[in-house]
Amino acid sequence: MIKSNLSLSRRRMIGSLAALSGLAALPMPAWSMGKMGGPVRKGIHELSGAKIDLHIADGRFATGGRSGHAIAVNGTVPGPLIRLKEGEQTILSVHNMLDVDSSVHWHGLLLPFQFDGVPGISFPGIKPGERFDVPLTPRQSGTYWWHSHSGLQEQVGHYGPIIIDPAGPDPVQYDREHIILLSEFTPMHPHAIMKKLKVGEGYFSMQKTSATDDYPLSAEERRMWGRMRMMPTDIADVSAPTYSYLINGHGPEDGLELPFTPGERVRLRIINGSAMTFFNVRLPGLSMTVVQADGQNVQPVEVDELQIGVAETYDVIVTPTEAGAFAIAAESMDRSGMAQASLTSQPGREAAFPALRDPPLLSMVDMGHGSHGGGMDHGSGEAEAAEPMDHGKMDHAAMGHAMPEAAPADAHSGHDMAAMDMSGGMDMRDTALLPASVKTGPGIDMVAMNPQDRTGYPGLGLDDVPHRVLNYRLLKSLEMDHHKRAPDREMELHLTGNMERYMWSFDGRKFSAVGDDPIRFGYDERVRVKLVNDTMMAHPIHLHGMFFELVNGQGHYQPKKHTVIVQPGSSATFDVTTDEPGDWAFHCHLLYHMHAGMMQTVSVAFPGGAA
Amino acid sequence: MMRLFSASLAAMIMATPALAQDHTQMDHGAHQMPAAQEAEPEVDHSTMDHGAMGHGQPASPPNSLTGPANAADAIWGADAMRPSREALYEEHGDMQIFWFQGDRMEFRARDGEDGYLWDVQGYYGGDIDKFWFKSEGEGSFGEPLESAEVQALYSRAIAPFFDLQAGVRQDLTGPDRTHAVIGIQGLAPYMFEVDAAAFLSNKGGLTARIEAEYDQRLSQRLILQPRAEINLSAQEIPELEIGSGVDNIELGLRLRYEIAREFAPYVGIEQEWKLGGSRDFARLAGEDSSVTNYVVGVRFWF
Ligand SMILES: [Cu+2]
């Protein structure tokens, strides 16, 4: 049994510094042991104070009988918790002990762009043996994380959590906290994963349709998927058993225990630090009150389960009143595996974990054929708020693409696959629907015919579970935004791809093709950005340097986020005030999508036009 | 109120009748859900000039186009930034891949002398442009190679699922022949792997080959693969014993087990018919015009 070595109680209340002193007492840091290093320790040590040193080095990670190369920071995977206080200055000192360049991106932190940690955009990267200092005075609070932005290092362990405690009283009341940092481990080299994704379609899935599966698909539906050269099981590009899913570096076999005392309000700071995996998070028998999303406080909302996209964070409060052990179950979206830990009041007592549920399937809605799920009542009011903008006043003719009102027939028949005229009626890739800004070509295998705003969708496989599930429309900022202006302009960006070729891009152009042609914003513009997903995968789109407000129907209480999931064949819209000058990365946070080209630079002008 | 009405109307039109009915019965208060009537009031679109925006490529305000080419150059120096920027672009989309596949590497049991066959291909390149190579050949044990060829092709993605390929083919057996090749390879609707090519030889002979394969998964690792190949010729080529029209047809069925995706042994059966003039050539040479092969082999790639 392994206990969490994160400081378990809220430091300012209980004052435990055990984790820190534990770290200081180590005789020989693993990162000093040269190439491949020594065994990597698991778990999260806390670092705080006016100067924080991070040492990036090679190591060897093992869980569940498998081991492989890892990049550890200060000898652990995940790397240490960086705990800061709003308004108090710190120097973050990053030492690269690898024999390749490295970097640290502070995900969700507001800071001058040159310290954002993206080699080639914000700085030149950190050469082997060199050090990079980041002076930081946090002007925010909440739960965040950090990770490498070099190569595919994030896949192999180069990530860790950040907590910034508020300068004033925390609006969230809690007695104890735990970080739940979700990630993956695989002994396979990330470059090998990338190549397999490029050459072998569906290489990692062991849940494909077959002559002997028991998926609820008719022969007609199977033929339709085949005709389109797509797979309804194409949900996760990489999955178990290639991946072992981790919580705080612990695989399911490691038996991670996180303690509680009955009656306590326990704050779980859930961070999806994985490279490729969306997780369904639940604690059977306990409800979760969501109090923060992407580090920003939200009005408490009680749910039983939530789906967290790659790079998102959610803080939830659970209040177990009885003694015992509760399962913290984080099932991968494709349900190939589960990250697990026990929230237990008795050391040594492990929770009973729920079985993996049946894998979900993609549907016509995920192909952008409109409608919302075949007569099911989602209880989420999707249709009403489907297009938060007022289309009644918009000039559709000038927009050049299909809008919901224009295509009631499609919306209607969309989910009735058997009824569709396969031979002539449906064009999966009508490029005439795309605006001129999208470059069509082999890199686009699908065009959403009738993309809907699906911010009310709880995530694939969670629209028919018999309990309460979070969705974006339930997120309501705690603080009212008094200064919000109407957008000065609007832009539409298409998320494009080709599953078979594993090509991913924005507007049909890979980053390699448009690196020198960034998305440009003026200083302090107010821009409404509509993301249209012309693919059948959910993409977690992350903007560096600035929070955006998700247009989710909450008016002056639109939640601020740094990462937004755009559901397959759907759209999502955000408003952003471009008041952080400099060049910022903007990309899909699925690591291999980004690496395939789904990335752009967002360039915000300096006030007065000066550099 | 107007907004409420238009939003509800939009919902009614968009939703299925069943769904719409559900919504009219929903208690919005209890669901704590944002209905559209609360959703949009912040933005006054009447003041936005959508016509001028061209939707998707809106005109940027003047000052957004005047920023530095690369903001980081001003901080760290252009020389320091250049290598990392070039590496960044290249890493994010310009990855070059090498792939080699032995699609059919097999032993063939049949009446008379048993034989062997290889059919390999591979490429090096990016998403759009690749150098593609192919080789196939066969023979019987104890006899000289019956046929063998290599192809070197430039391959360009021309559609989401298809590559156009052009290059040369060199025959390694029989009369010396070099061919110009043009073809397409890719994935046809219903998931058929298709490779079709026309060959124009240095002797002016025009031939064509069309291959199609389909992978029917029986389980996650057990795969049944029907395969068809047809060879055509525009003219009779006596020195190659090829008649005009359909030269031959092969139909195969292979059952493979993917120990790993990259390594799959298989067993199968393949039937080959020579037709028309080619059949006559075969009869004259005292050969069977119809051959059944029982095959065992391995499919692999790396
Ligand atoms: Cu993506």
Side-chain angles (χ1 to χ4, degrees):
Chain A
M1 287 306 146
I2 298 160
K3 285 184 204 161
S4 167
N5 35 16
L6 165 65
S7 173
L8 298 164
S9 307
R10 199 178 171 199
R11 290 187 311 127
R12 276 163 194 82
M13 298 177 67
I14 300 170
S16 161
L17 289 169
L20 265 176
S21 55
L23 182 65
L26 283 169
M28 178 74 168
W31 65 82
S32 65
M33 292 169 71
K35 180 67 181 165
M36 290 309 288
V40 167
R41 286 168 294 115
K42 298 169 185 178
I44 297 170
H45 300 275
E46 181 174 316
L47 298 179
S48 61
K51 186 163 185 300
I52 287 172
D53 287 283
L54 299 176
H55 289 80
I56 307 163
D58 291 297
R60 202 152 185 90
F61 185 88
T63 186
R66 304 198 294 177
S67 72
H69 170 245
I71 292 177
V73 177
N74 292 6
T76 63
V77 170
L81 162 63
I82 297 173
R83 185 152 208 147
L84 306 173
K85 186 154 171 95
E86 185 178 5
E88 289 184 5
Q89 199 193 341
T90 306
I91 307 249
L92 299 159
S93 219
V94 183
H95 308 254
N96 180 11
M97 321 286 279
L98 303 172
D99 52 16
V100 294
D101 283 17
S102 193
S103 57
V104 177
H105 163 59
W106 321 95
H107 188 111
L109 264 53
L110 301 169
L111 79 185
F113 83 94
Q114 65 266 30
F115 299 118
D116 190 50
V118 182
I121 294 181
S122 45
F123 82 134
I126 313 171
K127 300 266 170 288
E130 290 191 354
R131 190 187 92 214
F132 184 70
D133 288 347
V134 174
L136 175 68
T137 305
R139 34 187 171 114
Q140 64 196 114
S141 63
T143 303
Y144 303 96
W145 65 298
W146 53 267
H147 60 85
S148 173
H149 230 288
S150 298
L152 297 167
Q153 294 172 0
E154 188 195 323
Q155 174 78 86
V156 289
H158 185 335
Y159 48 80
I162 297 172
I163 296 174
I164 305 173
D165 291 306
D170 196 327
V172 180
Q173 302 291 310
Y174 58 100
D175 306 308
R176 181 193 291 268
E177 69 180 358
H178 293 298
I179 287 172
I180 307 290
L181 197 162
L182 303 164
S183 65
E184 315 114 340
F185 167 72
T186 173
M188 192 179 286
H189 193 287
H191 286 145
I193 293 177
M194 187 78 208
K195 176 180 169 176
K196 290 176 202 307
L197 288 168
K198 282 276 186 192
V199 305
E201 218 257 339
Y203 180 95
F204 295 99
S205 172
M206 295 304 280
Q207 299 180 161
K208 285 185 263 203
T209 53
S210 77
T212 55
D213 70 48
D214 50 9
Y215 286 116
L217 287 169
S218 69
E220 185 75 24
E221 287 165 337
R222 287 167 198 264
R223 276 196 296 278
M224 182 207 70
W225 283 98
R227 179 185 175 274
M228 297 186 305
R229 294 163 280 192
M230 306 227 169
M231 296 193 291
T233 56
D234 223 333
I235 292 160
D237 292 342
V238 191
S239 54
T242 303
Y243 279 156
S244 301
Y245 298 112
L246 310 179
I247 293 182
N248 301 352
H250 299 268
E253 280 102 335
D254 296 328
L256 175 64
E257 289 181 15
L258 303 169
F260 78 92
T261 303
E264 281 180 326
R265 286 171 60 86
V266 182
R267 178 178 192 164
L268 303 178
R269 297 179 182 263
I270 307 167
I271 301 166
N272 188 344
S274 72
M276 290 298 284
T277 309
F278 285 39
F279 290 97
N280 301 327
V281 180
R282 66 198 150 125
L283 291 84
L286 293 178
S287 63
M288 302 182 283
T289 303
V290 179
V291 293
Q292 204 177 82
D294 289 6
Q296 306 298 299
N297 291 319
V298 295
Q299 297 184 23
V301 55
E302 195 174 311
V303 297
D304 301 304
E305 184 165 13
L306 61 86
Q307 188 169 92
I308 184 169
V310 173
E312 292 187 302
T313 76
Y314 284 110
D315 284 31
V316 304
I317 302 287
V318 295
T319 311
T321 52
E322 312 269 304
F326 294 91
I328 302 173
E331 177 188 61
S332 65
M333 179 167 67
D334 72 337
R335 300 181 185 176
S336 62
M338 190 182 280
Q340 51 194 49
S342 297
L343 184 66
T344 180
S345 62
Q346 295 147 312
R349 178 152 169 207
E350 204 176 351
F353 290 92
L356 290 170
R357 294 170 291 190
D358 287 340
L361 290 170
L362 298 171
S363 76
M364 295 299 288
V365 181
D366 301 307
M367 278 178 252
H369 286 263
S371 189
H372 297 92
M376 266 184 299
D377 182 2
H378 292 281
S380 55
E382 279 187 85
E384 297 100 303
E387 278 292 332
M389 298 186 60
D390 188 349
H391 284 89
K393 295 179 189 132
M394 292 177 70
D395 179 0
H396 291 283
M399 287 172 50
H401 62 94
M403 297 306 298
E405 297 89 329
D410 294 321
H412 209 136
S413 62
H415 50 267
D416 186 4
M417 290 191 264
M420 295 196 65
D421 174 9
M422 299 310 309
S423 54
M426 192 179 70
D427 185 354
M428 278 292 295
R429 186 177 177 272
D430 183 358
T431 52
L433 297 174
L434 293 170
S437 53
V438 179
K439 180 175 179 281
T440 58
I444 298 180
D445 66 4
M446 182 190 118
V447 175
M449 186 186 285
N450 183 16
Q452 307 284 302
D453 181 295
R454 277 208 283 167
T455 47
Y457 183 63
L460 186 65
L462 296 186
D463 51 350
D464 58 354
V465 294
H467 53 240
R468 297 163 299 175
V469 187
L470 187 68
N471 67 59
Y472 280 163
R473 289 197 192 139
L474 296 171
L475 296 177
K476 202 168 174 180
S477 173
L478 187 64
E479 305 258 310
M480 186 179 181
D481 186 342
H482 298 281
H483 307 293
K484 190 174 161 193
R485 334 194 284 264
D488 309 320
R489 63 170 170 135
E490 263 182 82
M491 62 179 292
E492 183 174 306
L493 201 66
H494 285 247
L495 318 183
T496 44
N498 180 324
M499 299 259 219
E500 176 74 14
R501 296 184 190 274
Y502 211 72
M503 293 170 71
W504 302 103
S505 57
F506 290 132
D507 280 351
R509 294 175 181 87
K510 296 183 291 185
F511 190 40
S512 52
V514 291
D516 286 324
D517 186 16
I519 298 169
R520 291 196 178 273
F521 292 127
Y523 178 73
D524 206 28
E525 271 195 88
R526 180 92 178 148
V527 187
R528 173 160 287 191
V529 179
K530 182 177 183 184
L531 301 170
V532 179
N533 186 349
D534 287 306
T535 81
M536 288 210 299
M537 301 210 76
H539 301 279
I541 303 298
H542 171 48
L543 175 63
H544 287 223
M546 287 157 278
F547 283 91
F548 49 76
E549 293 119 56
L550 196 60
V551 179
N552 69 339
Q554 294 294 5
H556 281 295
Y557 294 92
Q558 288 182 167
K560 287 184 175 179
K561 292 195 100 261
H562 51 55
T563 307
V564 57
I565 301 171
V566 190
Q567 297 293 345
S570 308
S571 71
T573 303
F574 63 74
D575 293 338
V576 62
T577 304
T578 58
D579 55 2
E580 300 287 343
D583 288 354
W584 303 99
F586 177 62
H587 59 92
C588 176
H589 222 286
L590 297 177
L591 185 62
Y592 300 96
H593 286 199
M594 178 180 79
H595 221 66
M598 204 170 203
M599 181 166 183
Q600 246 291 22
T601 304
V602 162
S603 185
V604 178
F606 285 78
Chain B
M1 192 58 214
M2 243 349 256
R3 266 198 200 108
L4 195 149
F5 175 75
S6 61
S8 309
L9 189 68
M12 295 288 282
I13 293 168
M14 285 159 45
T16 65
L19 201 55
Q21 192 163 16
D22 270 351
H23 286 305
T24 57
Q25 289 162 3
M26 273 174 63
D27 177 352
H28 291 280
H31 282 265
Q32 288 201 317
M33 284 311 304
Q37 46 271 35
E38 305 163 13
E40 85 291 338
E42 286 15 284
V43 183
D44 183 0
H45 285 88
S46 59
T47 64
M48 294 176 68
D49 182 0
H50 289 277
M53 280 167 48
H55 214 82
Q57 224 36 336
S60 300
N63 75 336
S64 70
L65 298 172
T66 57
N70 294 292
D73 286 5
I75 312 260
W76 307 108
D79 290 342
M81 284 302 296
R82 193 174 304 109
S84 64
R85 184 175 302 121
E86 284 166 3
L88 180 78
Y89 296 167
E90 191 184 315
E91 273 179 13
H92 294 82
D94 270 354
M95 171 175 289
Q96 306 290 301
I97 298 272
F98 174 77
W99 174 74
F100 182 93
Q101 183 196 46
D103 190 26
R104 292 181 296 158
M105 301 286 286
E106 67 195 25
F107 167 81
R108 319 184 114 201
R110 59 195 173 204
D111 284 350
E113 213 58 63
D114 290 341
Y116 54 88
L117 175 144
W118 77 85
D119 178 2
V120 303
Q121 62 175 332
Y123 62 71
Y124 177 80
D127 293 322
I128 302 298
D129 299 303
K130 294 180 175 75
F131 168 72
W132 206 296
F133 59 91
K134 300 177 185 179
S135 175
E136 57 181 274
E138 60 184 307
S140 297
F141 292 105
E143 294 173 16
L145 263 177
E146 188 181 319
S147 71
E149 64 172 52
V150 291
Q151 294 181 36
L153 307 165
Y154 163 67
S155 179
R156 183 171 176 86
I158 53 162
F161 296 98
F162 279 98
D163 290 353
L164 179 69
Q165 300 176 336
V168 294
R169 163 183 146 190
Q170 178 65 48
D171 290 352
L172 305 174
T173 58
D176 189 36
R177 282 283 192 286
T178 305
H179 309 252
V181 184
I182 185 153
I184 57 162
Q185 180 168 356
L187 189 65
Y190 300 102
M191 297 283 200
F192 286 94
E193 294 273 359
V194 174
D195 183 357
F199 307 96
L200 182 64
S201 83
N202 56 345
K203 301 288 187 217
L206 180 65
T207 56
R209 181 188 298 152
I210 302 163
E211 299 171 61
E213 295 176 353
Y214 179 77
D215 279 355
Q216 171 62 57
R217 279 182 297 274
L218 302 180
S219 75
Q220 297 301 316
R221 292 182 184 278
L222 193 64
I223 292 150
L224 187 66
Q225 184 201 62
R227 180 178 183 284
E229 177 175 334
I230 179 165
N231 282 280
L232 306 163
S233 179
Q235 65 286 301
E236 183 172 283
I237 312 174
E239 59 272 41
L240 299 177
E241 302 186 345
I242 291 174
S244 145
V246 179
D247 167 20
N248 76 334
I249 291 177
E250 291 172 29
L251 290 180
L253 196 60
R254 288 171 178 76
L255 181 67
R256 72 173 188 266
Y257 184 79
E258 291 184 343
I259 294 168
R261 294 261 186 260
E262 297 94 331
F263 186 81
Y266 63 78
V267 296
I269 181 168
E270 186 158 86
Q271 176 68 33
E272 181 185 345
W273 296 275
K274 284 194 189 325
L275 297 166
S278 298
R279 180 177 54 204
D280 299 339
F281 280 118
R283 282 180 184 158
L284 276 172
E287 292 164 9
D288 265 336
S289 64
S290 164
V291 179
T292 305
N293 292 293
Y294 298 91
V295 306
V296 51
V298 62
R299 181 182 189 269
F300 67 90
W301 58 264
F302 56 82

